Amino acid sequence: MISPTTASYQTPPPGTQAAAGDGAAGSTAARQADTAATELGSFETAALPQAIKLVGAVVAPTSLLTALMYYFGRQWATGFFHYLGVHFTVLDLTVQDYLVRSVDGLIPPMIMVAGATLVALWIHRLVLEILPAPIRQVVLRVLMPLSFIGGSLLVSLALTNLRTPVLLARYPELGGLSFAVGVLLLAYAARLVRLLTAARRAEQHARKTPGTALVTEWVALFILVSVGLFWSVGDYANLVGMGRAQQLEYELQQPGSADVVAYSEKRLNLPAPGIRETICQSKDMAYRFRYEGLYLVLQSADKYLFLPAGWTHTSGTAILLPRNESLRLEFSPAGQAPNAAC
């Protein structure tokens, strides 16, 4: 015979049974959602190698990288020489000149893009792999509209700035950056929608393989983000070149900035402030005209680009001289006065 106490212990109340059943059903649903989301992520990610292969087949990576570095170097040269008042096309800069100068404007953006990508991936993995399923669902439902709204605002700002550049006149590189980040946020919002609806769409995706639609989506996303980044880095390289020219202007204001003495067979007529002309008395000398107070900025092809000591952007004059046997240059160690004799 079973006592009432034992019976009450072995038979839970009806309400308790319902609660346990609901909890088990919720746990099962959460596991099914996780499984579906994992399968969906694998399905979408499987299309990425095909998209990369397609892009690589259309454009060779080495050729693309060289073209981009050439473009960034040209943007750098445009900003630098424009500040000096010299049109860079008269200097006959080579492809190698542009490639070397492109590095100056590439390092900070590459560090920022790589760092931001790592942080975003870490946060995404934290949300998907560490948070419990109920909390994860709440976080994803909050992130989805925020990503969509933020992406829409950034893309709209970038496109509006194309027609009205005054919006980002002080920081032109933010236009392309806003476009790239906005596109990524919109793509992330679309992915979150798929994750939130993965349980209902799991059977549909299970019967499919990565097809044209997903590959095309990855390719389009790659193109749009690349355009935004190239746009941003190009403007940034132009500003870096201008900044280097401003740094050079500051250095030319310091004592001892002149680093070269030029000797010429004929009079060069260089009346710029800061340049001192000396006429050697001996007529037997091959180079009778001596010029002090010059700073050599660049030697390209058959030309020298000089700036006078004390040069300023507002009132200075850049000097372009041909590189030939009628001109001889004499350099002195830093901090040492040049030889005063002819």
Side-chain angles (χ1 to χ4, degrees):
M1 180 174 180
I2 303 175
S3 64
T5 306
T6 306
S8 62
Y9 173 77
Q10 293 179 346
T11 305
T16 306
Q17 291 180 341
D22 292 343
S27 177
T28 302
R31 286 196 300 270
Q32 291 176 348
D34 288 347
T35 303
T38 302
E39 293 177 353
L40 176 61
S42 301
F43 172 75
E44 292 183 341
T45 307
L48 180 58
Q50 298 185 25
I52 296 175
K53 183 178 180 180
L54 179 61
V55 173
V58 176
V59 182
T62 304
S63 302
L64 177 62
L65 180 61
T66 302
L68 291 176
M69 293 185 67
Y70 174 84
Y71 171 72
F72 297 143
R74 190 178 177 90
Q75 289 292 96
W76 187 98
T78 301
F80 181 82
F81 293 108
H82 177 74
Y83 190 84
L84 301 183
V86 179
H87 201 288
F88 69 95
T89 57
V90 303
L91 298 172
D92 296 327
L93 296 175
T94 64
V95 174
Q96 184 176 0
D97 292 329
Y98 291 124
L99 295 181
V100 170
R101 284 163 176 78
S102 68
V103 178
D104 192 24
L106 274 178
I107 294 179
M110 291 177 64
I111 294 175
M112 293 178 61
V113 170
T117 302
L118 280 178
V119 171
L121 290 175
W122 289 338
I123 294 176
H124 181 72
R125 292 187 62 182
L126 174 67
V127 172
L128 293 183
E129 298 180 5
I130 298 180
L131 295 181
I135 299 178
R136 178 167 60 250
Q137 292 294 317
V138 174
V139 172
L140 293 180
R141 293 183 183 279
V142 173
L143 284 178
M144 189 271 292
L146 291 179
S147 299
F148 177 79
I149 294 173
S152 300
L153 290 176
L154 290 176
V155 171
S156 300
L157 174 63
L159 295 179
T160 304
N161 188 65
L162 284 176
R163 302 183 59 182
T164 313
V166 295
L167 293 177
L168 299 173
R170 293 188 59 185
Y171 306 100
E173 72 277 10
L174 293 183
L177 185 62
S178 297
F179 184 80
V181 175
V183 169
L184 285 175
L185 287 176
L186 290 176
Y188 186 63
R191 179 172 176 80
L192 292 181
V193 171
R194 293 173 182 171
L195 288 176
L196 291 172
T197 60
R200 292 177 304 195
R201 303 168 59 189
E203 295 182 359
Q204 300 176 7
H205 287 290
R207 296 192 299 266
K208 295 181 181 179
T209 57
T212 306
L214 277 179
V215 174
T216 304
E217 181 179 339
W218 277 111
V219 172
L221 179 62
F222 174 81
I223 292 175
L224 290 175
V225 173
S226 299
V227 167
L229 291 177
F230 299 158
W231 172 9
S232 177
V233 176
D235 289 336
Y236 176 78
N238 186 280
L239 293 177
V240 170
M242 187 177 300
R244 295 303 184 192
Q246 294 172 344
Q247 180 181 355
L248 177 59
E249 178 184 16
Y250 171 78
E251 293 174 356
L252 290 174
Q253 307 303 314
Q254 310 306 313
S257 58
D259 64 347
V260 62
V261 176
Y263 293 86
S264 175
E265 294 181 358
K266 299 180 180 179
R267 194 166 198 169
L268 298 178
N269 297 320
L270 303 178
I275 299 178
R276 187 176 66 181
E277 180 187 70
T278 302
I279 303 176
C280 301
Q281 299 302 321
S282 177
K283 295 183 179 181
D284 296 334
M285 298 185 64
Y287 303 94
R288 293 189 58 204
F289 299 92
R290 184 176 188 272
Y291 296 90
E292 297 181 54
L294 293 171
Y295 179 88
L296 179 62
V297 178
L298 176 74
Q299 180 265 312
S300 178
D302 59 346
K303 298 180 181 65
Y304 291 115
L305 175 61
F306 295 98
L307 291 179
W311 179 90
T312 62
H313 172 69
T314 55
S315 60
T317 301
I319 301 169
L320 199 62
L321 296 177
R323 181 190 177 197
N324 51 43
E325 296 181 355
S326 65
L327 189 67
R328 179 172 67 87
L329 304 182
E330 182 178 287
F331 295 89
S332 302
Q336 179 177 331
N339 184 13
C342 286

